[in-house]
Amino acid sequence: MKKIPVNITPPPIQVSSAGCDSANLLTGLLTLEQARAKILESITPITQSINVNIMESFGSVLAEDITSPINVPNYKNSAMDGYAVKAHDLPSTATKKFKLVGTSWAGKPYLGEIKENQCIRIMTGAKVPEGTDTVIMQEHISKEDDHIIISAGHKAEQNVRCAGEDIKQGDTVLKKGKLIKAAEMGLLASLGFPTVNVLRPLKVSFFSTGDELKGVGETLEDGQIYDSNRYTIFGMLQKLNVEINDMGVIPDDRKKIEVAFLNAADQSDVIITSGGVSVGDADYVKETLEKLGQINFWKLAIKPGKPLAFGKVKQAMFIGLPGNPVSVMATYYQLGLPAIQHLSGNQNYTQVIAKARVTEPFYKRPGRLDFQRAIFSYDEKGELVVKGVGMQASHILSGMSLANCFAIIPTESGTVHPGDVIDIQPFEGLI
Ligand code: AMP
Ligand code: MG
């Protein structure tokens, strides 16, 4: 498997060297960086914690610093299968015989005495017996009855793991705000913790809006489409440790939209909708929200995903994604996901950016920051290359499925040509 060279600094939203503000001044559109900054500064991360079994902690955020109650490893142990000896018995020239007087097994240490020129058979992870300090690999000795023969050239204390080599008792091992994944689960277990205090999972409610939307399994009439956004949003949320509340499709009806928002606000930390945030005549989302909450309606200088609403309905954070299916995914990833991560208390959230050489043109007009759907791969030299998936319009959801990354084309850039190097955001594991 080839490794993707990654940039792991905090999510650098890529903008042209002409600067993000230029888009704002010229067009009245908000840049992605401006929108992201406004969103993040308006969020107060949650603080309520719960105690969970570490087996159930995957994807949670630590609510407290973790201090180690023990040394890890807890005792001096062998890194190899071999023979434990005293270093000062080792030969400085030629070879020397050692009498084998016992065995130290992992979990069953040798407790007897060890005299001069004696050795102990020792297994990987077994305690290095008192009086010995060096392990000779079993491949480096020869055997003769109840003796082993060791040649010169071994180093004192080789193949021995010291107590506290990984973690010392009293060390702060994990910091509050850290996302718990496989390594952290194992680390907590290695310290002996059966449970851990984590920030409670967020409750996320979502619904689609639009009279044209039909549910799957229903028959489409003229002018209708299936509601796909709710499934995409549900899929994206499943990557997160959140409680998901699917509220279905709400028709373009003032009263029903208001009831849906109030309902969602009462039972959730986050409300996500799709559609109805642009200026269509029958979209009542905007009107309702202006009445119910403090909502910003933005036109973003990004493509796809120009209209976006963000704010609060009662105490719940509201993210109003655009209606077009690709815009839903792009704006969720660029703005919704960082917002949810920040609210959840995750202090280390980053997005991976890699550089790739373009092999086919990406057509573009200057003015907005493009997230074109693209496929990265490796060329014959092992270098990362990228090409588009074909049609780039914001309703072409099949392109999102063909793609494995966003190709990020800077705001002021026009068409990008073969040979140019651009930033890409791989999807793998992210959305
Ligand atoms: P709107 O912002 O509501 O005007 O929607 C913009 C476009 O996205 C329209 O073509 C809608 O039909 C489409 N759209 C809105 N909601 C959905 C949805 N849940 N699933 C699929 N397409 C949608
Ligand atoms: Mg609509």
Side-chain angles (χ1 to χ4, degrees):
M1 270 287 279
K2 299 255 169 47
K3 288 240 172 69
I4 301 167
V6 293
N7 173 356
I8 49 168
T9 48
I13 297 306
Q14 299 301 304
V15 291
S16 75
S17 54
C20 48
D21 286 339
S22 56
N24 189 31
L25 290 175
L26 294 175
T27 63
L29 305 181
L30 200 63
T31 67
L32 185 58
E33 275 193 340
Q34 290 167 332
R36 185 180 278 205
K38 282 178 192 290
I39 287 173
L40 295 184
E41 77 192 19
S42 75
I43 293 170
T44 308
I46 59 158
T47 52
Q48 300 104 315
S49 65
I50 53 171
N51 190 255
V52 296
N53 188 305
I54 57 167
M55 269 309 187
E56 278 141 34
S57 67
F58 187 92
S60 301
V61 176
L62 268 179
E64 59 185 358
D65 289 355
I66 301 290
T67 305
S68 180
I70 56 169
N71 282 322
V72 181
N74 203 15
Y75 52 87
K76 196 192 270 192
N77 69 87
S78 178
M80 298 285 170
D81 290 341
Y83 295 85
V85 295
K86 294 180 193 178
H88 75 250
D89 287 349
L90 287 169
S92 49
T93 57
T95 60
K96 190 167 171 183
K97 262 188 177 180
F98 288 74
K99 186 165 190 311
L100 185 58
V101 295
T103 303
S104 182
W105 303 92
K108 215 163 74 179
Y110 175 81
L111 299 172
E113 237 190 289
I114 293 156
K115 299 202 180 98
E116 210 172 311
N117 298 332
Q118 291 186 337
C119 69
I120 299 291
R121 175 88 174 110
I122 191 163
M123 307 304 168
T124 304
K127 187 168 179 188
V128 173
E130 291 296 324
T132 67
D133 53 18
T134 302
V135 171
I136 313 296
M137 274 171 79
Q138 60 190 20
E139 291 83 355
H140 294 167
I141 61 111
S142 53
K143 264 184 144 175
E144 209 173 77
D145 304 325
D146 59 349
H147 283 79
I148 64 158
I149 298 163
I150 300 176
S151 53
H154 293 284
K155 277 199 205 123
E157 296 182 14
Q158 69 181 18
N159 300 324
V160 168
R161 303 165 176 159
C162 296
E165 196 172 276
D166 181 4
I167 296 161
K168 290 202 173 36
Q169 189 174 11
D171 278 357
T172 300
V173 182
L174 295 169
K175 289 260 188 204
K176 181 181 167 180
K178 172 100 175 165
L179 190 68
I180 300 178
K181 292 182 286 181
E184 289 72 27
M185 290 171 75
L187 202 48
L188 289 164
S190 75
L191 306 179
F193 292 113
T195 61
V196 61
N197 286 330
V198 297
L199 297 171
R200 68 166 176 81
L202 297 176
K203 294 181 196 136
V204 183
S205 292
F206 64 100
F207 54 89
S208 297
T209 65
D211 279 342
E212 75 279 32
L213 303 176
K214 275 270 169 147
V216 292
E218 294 182 322
T219 306
L220 291 183
E221 280 160 37
D222 204 17
Q224 295 184 327
I225 57 168
Y226 288 118
D227 167 26
S228 61
N229 290 346
R230 215 153 41 84
Y231 293 84
T232 311
I233 291 169
F234 186 67
M236 294 190 296
L237 289 175
Q238 280 179 329
K239 291 270 178 201
L240 305 177
N241 179 46
V242 294
E243 288 170 22
I244 302 173
N245 177 30
D246 172 12
M247 295 179 61
V249 178
I250 311 295
D252 287 318
D253 172 292
R254 265 193 197 88
K255 194 67 211 158
K256 286 186 177 143
I257 288 175
E258 183 172 335
V259 169
F261 272 115
L262 290 174
N263 240 330
D266 283 341
Q267 50 180 319
S268 7
D269 303 294
V270 181
I271 306 169
I272 300 177
T273 62
S274 68
V277 290
S278 51
V279 282
D281 280 343
D283 288 333
Y284 299 121
V285 173
K286 193 164 184 243
E287 243 177 81
T288 311
L289 284 167
E290 269 162 357
K291 197 167 115 193
L292 290 185
Q294 313 144 299
I295 316 288
N296 302 291
F297 291 89
W298 289 324
K299 285 192 171 64
L300 302 175
I302 66 171
K303 195 177 169 191
K306 197 168 168 190
L308 186 102
F310 181 85
K312 271 192 160 178
V313 181
K314 292 189 167 176
Q315 284 316 300
M317 177 174 96
F318 168 68
I319 307 168
L321 303 174
N324 275 308
V326 181
S327 311
V328 165
M329 296 191 80
T331 49
Y332 171 83
Y333 182 52
Q334 303 305 333
L335 292 163
L337 190 52
I340 294 171
Q341 294 284 3
H342 192 48
L343 183 66
S344 76
N346 180 356
Q347 292 180 16
N348 308 105
Y349 176 67
T350 56
Q351 292 183 343
V352 173
I353 306 261
K355 297 248 178 251
R357 186 168 41 80
V358 170
T359 57
E360 290 173 16
F362 284 96
Y363 297 100
K364 180 182 182 294
R365 274 195 222 130
R368 281 157 79 185
L369 176 64
D370 265 25
F371 293 93
Q372 296 205 19
R373 278 66 69 203
I375 301 170
F376 72 80
S377 60
Y378 293 90
D379 67 8
E380 59 291 346
K381 288 193 221 130
E383 283 169 10
L384 208 51
V385 290
V386 64
K387 62 177 184 183
V389 295
M391 277 181 72
Q392 292 289 344
S394 60
H395 62 290
I396 310 287
L397 191 55
S398 58
M400 214 43 216
S401 172
L402 287 173
N404 62 6
C405 67
F406 285 123
I408 307 175
I409 324 278
T411 308
E412 302 306 329
S413 171
T415 292
V416 174
H417 302 282
D420 291 348
V421 173
I422 59 166
D423 284 336
I424 61 165
Q425 267 177 329
F427 294 158
E428 200 50 53
L430 298 174
I431 52 177

PDB file of all heavy atoms in Angstrom, residues 204-231:
ATOM      1  N   VAL A 204     -28.265  14.413  17.351  1.00  0.00           N
ATOM      2  CA  VAL A 204     -28.398  15.124  16.070  1.00  0.00           C
ATOM      3  C   VAL A 204     -29.716  14.743  15.406  1.00  0.00           C
ATOM      4  O   VAL A 204     -29.969  13.562  15.150  1.00  0.00           O
ATOM      5  CB  VAL A 204     -27.232  14.782  15.118  1.00  0.00           C
ATOM      6  CG1 VAL A 204     -27.358  15.583  13.819  1.00  0.00           C
ATOM      7  CG2 VAL A 204     -25.886  15.047  15.782  1.00  0.00           C
ATOM      8  N   SER A 205     -30.572  15.727  15.164  1.00  0.00           N
ATOM      9  CA  SER A 205     -31.819  15.482  14.423  1.00  0.00           C
ATOM     10  C   SER A 205     -31.665  16.041  13.015  1.00  0.00           C
ATOM     11  O   SER A 205     -30.991  17.055  12.818  1.00  0.00           O
ATOM     12  CB  SER A 205     -32.996  16.211  15.080  1.00  0.00           C
ATOM     13  OG  SER A 205     -33.273  15.638  16.328  1.00  0.00           O
ATOM     14  N   PHE A 206     -32.276  15.368  12.064  1.00  0.00           N
ATOM     15  CA  PHE A 206     -32.197  15.902  10.705  1.00  0.00           C
ATOM     16  C   PHE A 206     -33.466  15.595   9.940  1.00  0.00           C
ATOM     17  O   PHE A 206     -34.157  14.619  10.222  1.00  0.00           O
ATOM     18  CB  PHE A 206     -30.968  15.372   9.965  1.00  0.00           C
ATOM     19  CG  PHE A 206     -30.970  13.891   9.749  1.00  0.00           C
ATOM     20  CD1 PHE A 206     -31.347  13.357   8.529  1.00  0.00           C
ATOM     21  CD2 PHE A 206     -30.611  13.039  10.760  1.00  0.00           C
ATOM     22  CE1 PHE A 206     -31.352  11.981   8.327  1.00  0.00           C
ATOM     23  CE2 PHE A 206     -30.618  11.663  10.576  1.00  0.00           C
ATOM     24  CZ  PHE A 206     -30.980  11.138   9.360  1.00  0.00           C
ATOM     25  N   PHE A 207     -33.769  16.489   9.007  1.00  0.00           N
ATOM     26  CA  PHE A 207     -34.894  16.237   8.105  1.00  0.00           C
ATOM     27  C   PHE A 207     -34.659  16.937   6.774  1.00  0.00           C
ATOM     28  O   PHE A 207     -33.816  17.812   6.648  1.00  0.00           O
ATOM     29  CB  PHE A 207     -36.239  16.659   8.730  1.00  0.00           C
ATOM     30  CG  PHE A 207     -36.331  18.081   9.230  1.00  0.00           C
ATOM     31  CD1 PHE A 207     -36.738  19.113   8.387  1.00  0.00           C
ATOM     32  CD2 PHE A 207     -36.047  18.392  10.550  1.00  0.00           C
ATOM     33  CE1 PHE A 207     -36.862  20.414   8.846  1.00  0.00           C
ATOM     34  CE2 PHE A 207     -36.162  19.691  11.035  1.00  0.00           C
ATOM     35  CZ  PHE A 207     -36.569  20.706  10.182  1.00  0.00           C
ATOM     36  N   SER A 208     -35.420  16.450   5.787  1.00  0.00           N
ATOM     37  CA  SER A 208     -35.364  17.059   4.460  1.00  0.00           C
ATOM     38  C   SER A 208     -36.582  17.938   4.295  1.00  0.00           C
ATOM     39  O   SER A 208     -37.621  17.691   4.918  1.00  0.00           O
ATOM     40  CB  SER A 208     -35.395  15.986   3.373  1.00  0.00           C
ATOM     41  OG  SER A 208     -34.261  15.171   3.463  1.00  0.00           O
ATOM     42  N   THR A 209     -36.457  18.950   3.452  1.00  0.00           N
ATOM     43  CA  THR A 209     -37.624  19.789   3.175  1.00  0.00           C
ATOM     44  C   THR A 209     -37.848  19.844   1.675  1.00  0.00           C
ATOM     45  O   THR A 209     -36.892  19.807   0.895  1.00  0.00           O
ATOM     46  CB  THR A 209     -37.415  21.234   3.670  1.00  0.00           C
ATOM     47  OG1 THR A 209     -36.357  21.822   2.901  1.00  0.00           O
ATOM     48  CG2 THR A 209     -37.087  21.290   5.137  1.00  0.00           C
ATOM     49  N   GLY A 210     -39.084  19.917   1.271  1.00  0.00           N
ATOM     50  CA  GLY A 210     -39.385  20.089  -0.151  1.00  0.00           C
ATOM     51  C   GLY A 210     -40.618  19.289  -0.549  1.00  0.00           C
ATOM     52  O   GLY A 210     -40.739  18.117  -0.218  1.00  0.00           O
ATOM     53  N   ASP A 211     -41.544  19.969  -1.270  1.00  0.00           N
ATOM     54  CA  ASP A 211     -42.780  19.308  -1.736  1.00  0.00           C
ATOM     55  C   ASP A 211     -42.506  18.291  -2.835  1.00  0.00           C
ATOM     56  O   ASP A 211     -43.330  17.429  -3.095  1.00  0.00           O
ATOM     57  CB  ASP A 211     -43.743  20.366  -2.292  1.00  0.00           C
ATOM     58  CG  ASP A 211     -44.498  21.060  -1.164  1.00  0.00           C
ATOM     59  OD1 ASP A 211     -44.527  20.495  -0.042  1.00  0.00           O
ATOM     60  OD2 ASP A 211     -45.029  22.158  -1.398  1.00  0.00           O
ATOM     61  N   GLU A 212     -41.341  18.424  -3.487  1.00  0.00           N
ATOM     62  CA  GLU A 212     -41.046  17.528  -4.604  1.00  0.00           C
ATOM     63  C   GLU A 212     -40.522  16.171  -4.141  1.00  0.00           C
ATOM     64  O   GLU A 212     -40.310  15.269  -4.943  1.00  0.00           O
ATOM     65  CB  GLU A 212     -40.024  18.185  -5.551  1.00  0.00           C
ATOM     66  CG  GLU A 212     -38.571  18.241  -5.087  1.00  0.00           C
ATOM     67  CD  GLU A 212     -38.270  19.384  -4.116  1.00  0.00           C
ATOM     68  OE1 GLU A 212     -39.157  19.772  -3.329  1.00  0.00           O
ATOM     69  OE2 GLU A 212     -37.118  19.874  -4.116  1.00  0.00           O
ATOM     70  N   LEU A 213     -40.294  16.021  -2.832  1.00  0.00           N
ATOM     71  CA  LEU A 213     -39.598  14.820  -2.345  1.00  0.00           C
ATOM     72  C   LEU A 213     -40.552  13.678  -2.019  1.00  0.00           C
ATOM     73  O   LEU A 213     -41.567  13.871  -1.336  1.00  0.00           O
ATOM     74  CB  LEU A 213     -38.784  15.160  -1.096  1.00  0.00           C
ATOM     75  CG  LEU A 213     -37.765  16.277  -1.266  1.00  0.00           C
ATOM     76  CD1 LEU A 213     -37.084  16.578   0.061  1.00  0.00           C
ATOM     77  CD2 LEU A 213     -36.740  15.925  -2.329  1.00  0.00           C
ATOM     78  N   LYS A 214     -40.207  12.507  -2.501  1.00  0.00           N
ATOM     79  CA  LYS A 214     -40.959  11.292  -2.175  1.00  0.00           C
ATOM     80  C   LYS A 214     -40.040  10.355  -1.428  1.00  0.00           C
ATOM     81  O   LYS A 214     -38.821  10.357  -1.621  1.00  0.00           O
ATOM     82  CB  LYS A 214     -41.410  10.608  -3.468  1.00  0.00           C
ATOM     83  CG  LYS A 214     -42.704  11.167  -4.010  1.00  0.00           C
ATOM     84  CD  LYS A 214     -43.870  10.393  -3.425  1.00  0.00           C
ATOM     85  CE  LYS A 214     -45.182  11.075  -3.728  1.00  0.00           C
ATOM     86  NZ  LYS A 214     -46.289  10.213  -3.912  1.00  0.00           N
ATOM     87  N   GLY A 215     -40.638   9.502  -0.599  1.00  0.00           N
ATOM     88  CA  GLY A 215     -39.841   8.515   0.132  1.00  0.00           C
ATOM     89  C   GLY A 215     -39.539   7.324  -0.753  1.00  0.00           C
ATOM     90  O   GLY A 215     -40.283   7.041  -1.699  1.00  0.00           O
ATOM     91  N   VAL A 216     -38.453   6.627  -0.448  1.00  0.00           N
ATOM     92  CA  VAL A 216     -38.127   5.416  -1.216  1.00  0.00           C
ATOM     93  C   VAL A 216     -39.262   4.417  -1.038  1.00  0.00           C
ATOM     94  O   VAL A 216     -39.911   4.382   0.001  1.00  0.00           O
ATOM     95  CB  VAL A 216     -36.777   4.799  -0.758  1.00  0.00           C
ATOM     96  CG1 VAL A 216     -35.618   5.708  -1.122  1.00  0.00           C
ATOM     97  CG2 VAL A 216     -36.766   4.534   0.744  1.00  0.00           C
ATOM     98  N   GLY A 217     -39.548   3.654  -2.097  1.00  0.00           N
ATOM     99  CA  GLY A 217     -40.662   2.694  -2.044  1.00  0.00           C
ATOM    100  C   GLY A 217     -41.960   3.298  -2.539  1.00  0.00           C
ATOM    101  O   GLY A 217     -42.907   2.572  -2.857  1.00  0.00           O
ATOM    102  N   GLU A 218     -42.035   4.622  -2.623  1.00  0.00           N
ATOM    103  CA  GLU A 218     -43.240   5.277  -3.151  1.00  0.00           C
ATOM    104  C   GLU A 218     -43.084   5.449  -4.672  1.00  0.00           C
ATOM    105  O   GLU A 218     -41.980   5.345  -5.200  1.00  0.00           O
ATOM    106  CB  GLU A 218     -43.436   6.640  -2.489  1.00  0.00           C
ATOM    107  CG  GLU A 218     -43.735   6.521  -1.004  1.00  0.00           C
ATOM    108  CD  GLU A 218     -43.970   7.883  -0.348  1.00  0.00           C
ATOM    109  OE1 GLU A 218     -43.280   8.853  -0.711  1.00  0.00           O
ATOM    110  OE2 GLU A 218     -44.841   7.956   0.515  1.00  0.00           O
ATOM    111  N   THR A 219     -44.218   5.715  -5.331  1.00  0.00           N
ATOM    112  CA  THR A 219     -44.158   5.913  -6.782  1.00  0.00           C
ATOM    113  C   THR A 219     -43.994   7.397  -7.064  1.00  0.00           C
ATOM    114  O   THR A 219     -44.683   8.234  -6.475  1.00  0.00           O
ATOM    115  CB  THR A 219     -45.458   5.407  -7.425  1.00  0.00           C
ATOM    116  OG1 THR A 219     -45.639   4.048  -6.995  1.00  0.00           O
ATOM    117  CG2 THR A 219     -45.387   5.455  -8.947  1.00  0.00           C
ATOM    118  N   LEU A 220     -43.071   7.707  -7.964  1.00  0.00           N
ATOM    119  CA  LEU A 220     -42.849   9.111  -8.312  1.00  0.00           C
ATOM    120  C   LEU A 220     -43.927   9.594  -9.269  1.00  0.00           C
ATOM    121  O   LEU A 220     -44.252   8.921 -10.243  1.00  0.00           O
ATOM    122  CB  LEU A 220     -41.485   9.269  -9.006  1.00  0.00           C
ATOM    123  CG  LEU A 220     -40.228   9.056  -8.169  1.00  0.00           C
ATOM    124  CD1 LEU A 220     -38.987   9.332  -9.019  1.00  0.00           C
ATOM    125  CD2 LEU A 220     -40.230   9.949  -6.927  1.00  0.00           C
ATOM    126  N   GLU A 221     -44.470  10.759  -8.949  1.00  0.00           N
ATOM    127  CA  GLU A 221     -45.368  11.393  -9.915  1.00  0.00           C
ATOM    128  C   GLU A 221     -44.583  12.460 -10.661  1.00  0.00           C
ATOM    129  O   GLU A 221     -43.448  12.763 -10.300  1.00  0.00           O
ATOM    130  CB  GLU A 221     -46.572  11.978  -9.176  1.00  0.00           C
ATOM    131  CG  GLU A 221     -47.587  10.872  -8.879  1.00  0.00           C
ATOM    132  CD  GLU A 221     -48.535  11.244  -7.768  1.00  0.00           C
ATOM    133  OE1 GLU A 221     -48.918  12.432  -7.708  1.00  0.00           O
ATOM    134  OE2 GLU A 221     -48.872  10.356  -6.970  1.00  0.00           O
ATOM    135  N   ASP A 222     -45.246  13.021 -11.666  1.00  0.00           N
ATOM    136  CA  ASP A 222     -44.574  14.016 -12.485  1.00  0.00           C
ATOM    137  C   ASP A 222     -43.996  15.125 -11.598  1.00  0.00           C
ATOM    138  O   ASP A 222     -44.688  15.645 -10.716  1.00  0.00           O
ATOM    139  CB  ASP A 222     -45.610  14.608 -13.453  1.00  0.00           C
ATOM    140  CG  ASP A 222     -44.937  15.171 -14.679  1.00  0.00           C
ATOM    141  OD1 ASP A 222     -43.755  14.816 -14.907  1.00  0.00           O
ATOM    142  OD2 ASP A 222     -45.590  15.954 -15.383  1.00  0.00           O
ATOM    143  N   GLY A 223     -42.751  15.468 -11.801  1.00  0.00           N
ATOM    144  CA  GLY A 223     -42.148  16.579 -11.058  1.00  0.00           C
ATOM    145  C   GLY A 223     -41.638  16.190  -9.680  1.00  0.00           C
ATOM    146  O   GLY A 223     -41.257  17.065  -8.898  1.00  0.00           O
ATOM    147  N   GLN A 224     -41.629  14.916  -9.381  1.00  0.00           N
ATOM    148  CA  GLN A 224     -41.154  14.506  -8.050  1.00  0.00           C
ATOM    149  C   GLN A 224     -39.808  13.781  -8.149  1.00  0.00           C
ATOM    150  O   GLN A 224     -39.475  13.200  -9.174  1.00  0.00           O
ATOM    151  CB  GLN A 224     -42.183  13.571  -7.402  1.00  0.00           C
ATOM    152  CG  GLN A 224     -43.503  14.281  -7.112  1.00  0.00           C
ATOM    153  CD  GLN A 224     -44.481  13.384  -6.395  1.00  0.00           C
ATOM    154  OE1 GLN A 224     -44.509  12.180  -6.618  1.00  0.00           O
ATOM    155  NE2 GLN A 224     -45.296  13.977  -5.548  1.00  0.00           N
ATOM    156  N   ILE A 225     -39.074  13.806  -7.049  1.00  0.00           N
ATOM    157  CA  ILE A 225     -37.803  13.056  -6.969  1.00  0.00           C
ATOM    158  C   ILE A 225     -37.774  12.327  -5.631  1.00  0.00           C
ATOM    159  O   ILE A 225     -38.522  12.686  -4.708  1.00  0.00           O
ATOM    160  CB  ILE A 225     -36.558  13.975  -7.067  1.00  0.00           C
ATOM    161  CG1 ILE A 225     -36.592  15.052  -5.949  1.00  0.00           C
ATOM    162  CG2 ILE A 225     -36.450  14.621  -8.430  1.00  0.00           C
ATOM    163  CD1 ILE A 225     -35.287  15.807  -5.783  1.00  0.00           C
ATOM    164  N   TYR A 226     -36.929  11.327  -5.540  1.00  0.00           N
ATOM    165  CA  TYR A 226     -36.763  10.665  -4.249  1.00  0.00           C
ATOM    166  C   TYR A 226     -35.884  11.515  -3.343  1.00  0.00           C
ATOM    167  O   TYR A 226     -34.943  12.161  -3.807  1.00  0.00           O
ATOM    168  CB  TYR A 226     -36.141   9.275  -4.426  1.00  0.00           C
ATOM    169  CG  TYR A 226     -37.090   8.285  -5.038  1.00  0.00           C
ATOM    170  CD1 TYR A 226     -36.813   7.691  -6.263  1.00  0.00           C
ATOM    171  CD2 TYR A 226     -38.274   7.944  -4.390  1.00  0.00           C
ATOM    172  CE1 TYR A 226     -37.686   6.778  -6.824  1.00  0.00           C
ATOM    173  CE2 TYR A 226     -39.159   7.041  -4.954  1.00  0.00           C
ATOM    174  CZ  TYR A 226     -38.871   6.462  -6.167  1.00  0.00           C
ATOM    175  OH  TYR A 226     -39.739   5.581  -6.719  1.00  0.00           O
ATOM    176  N   ASP A 227     -36.191  11.484  -2.081  1.00  0.00           N
ATOM    177  CA  ASP A 227     -35.376  12.171  -1.074  1.00  0.00           C
ATOM    178  C   ASP A 227     -34.095  11.363  -0.852  1.00  0.00           C
ATOM    179  O   ASP A 227     -34.126  10.311  -0.225  1.00  0.00           O
ATOM    180  CB  ASP A 227     -36.187  12.262   0.230  1.00  0.00           C
ATOM    181  CG  ASP A 227     -35.330  12.657   1.417  1.00  0.00           C
ATOM    182  OD1 ASP A 227     -34.287  13.313   1.203  1.00  0.00           O
ATOM    183  OD2 ASP A 227     -35.709  12.317   2.561  1.00  0.00           O
ATOM    184  N   SER A 228     -33.000  11.842  -1.381  1.00  0.00           N
ATOM    185  CA  SER A 228     -31.733  11.110  -1.180  1.00  0.00           C
ATOM    186  C   SER A 228     -30.884  11.742  -0.083  1.00  0.00           C
ATOM    187  O   SER A 228     -30.093  11.066   0.565  1.00  0.00           O
ATOM    188  CB  SER A 228     -30.936  11.059  -2.490  1.00  0.00           C
ATOM    189  OG  SER A 228     -30.614  12.364  -2.914  1.00  0.00           O
ATOM    190  N   ASN A 229     -31.074  13.042   0.146  1.00  0.00           N
ATOM    191  CA  ASN A 229     -30.176  13.736   1.089  1.00  0.00           C
ATOM    192  C   ASN A 229     -30.217  13.142   2.493  1.00  0.00           C
ATOM    193  O   ASN A 229     -29.209  13.093   3.193  1.00  0.00           O
ATOM    194  CB  ASN A 229     -30.548  15.219   1.199  1.00  0.00           C
ATOM    195  CG  ASN A 229     -30.209  15.977  -0.077  1.00  0.00           C
ATOM    196  OD1 ASN A 229     -29.492  15.466  -0.914  1.00  0.00           O
ATOM    197  ND2 ASN A 229     -30.740  17.185  -0.202  1.00  0.00           N
ATOM    198  N   ARG A 230     -31.412  12.713   2.886  1.00  0.00           N
ATOM    199  CA  ARG A 230     -31.570  12.198   4.249  1.00  0.00           C
ATOM    200  C   ARG A 230     -30.710  10.941   4.436  1.00  0.00           C
ATOM    201  O   ARG A 230     -30.165  10.698   5.496  1.00  0.00           O
ATOM    202  CB  ARG A 230     -33.037  11.873   4.495  1.00  0.00           C
ATOM    203  CG  ARG A 230     -33.515  12.134   5.895  1.00  0.00           C
ATOM    204  CD  ARG A 230     -34.989  12.420   5.916  1.00  0.00           C
ATOM    205  NE  ARG A 230     -35.731  11.559   5.035  1.00  0.00           N
ATOM    206  CZ  ARG A 230     -36.161  10.326   5.343  1.00  0.00           C
ATOM    207  NH1 ARG A 230     -35.923   9.815   6.525  1.00  0.00           N
ATOM    208  NH2 ARG A 230     -36.841   9.624   4.466  1.00  0.00           N
ATOM    209  N   TYR A 231     -30.574  10.175   3.364  1.00  0.00           N
ATOM    210  CA  TYR A 231     -29.779   8.946   3.445  1.00  0.00           C
ATOM    211  C   TYR A 231     -28.290   9.287   3.455  1.00  0.00           C
ATOM    212  O   TYR A 231     -27.500   8.680   4.175  1.00  0.00           O
ATOM    213  CB  TYR A 231     -30.145   8.013   2.283  1.00  0.00           C
ATOM    214  CG  TYR A 231     -31.574   7.531   2.452  1.00  0.00           C
ATOM    215  CD1 TYR A 231     -32.644   8.312   2.016  1.00  0.00           C
ATOM    216  CD2 TYR A 231     -31.839   6.354   3.118  1.00  0.00           C
ATOM    217  CE1 TYR A 231     -33.950   7.909   2.225  1.00  0.00           C
ATOM    218  CE2 TYR A 231     -33.144   5.939   3.327  1.00  0.00           C
ATOM    219  CZ  TYR A 231     -34.197   6.719   2.877  1.00  0.00           C
ATOM    220  OH  TYR A 231     -35.476   6.325   3.103  1.00  0.00           O
TER     221      TYR A 231
END
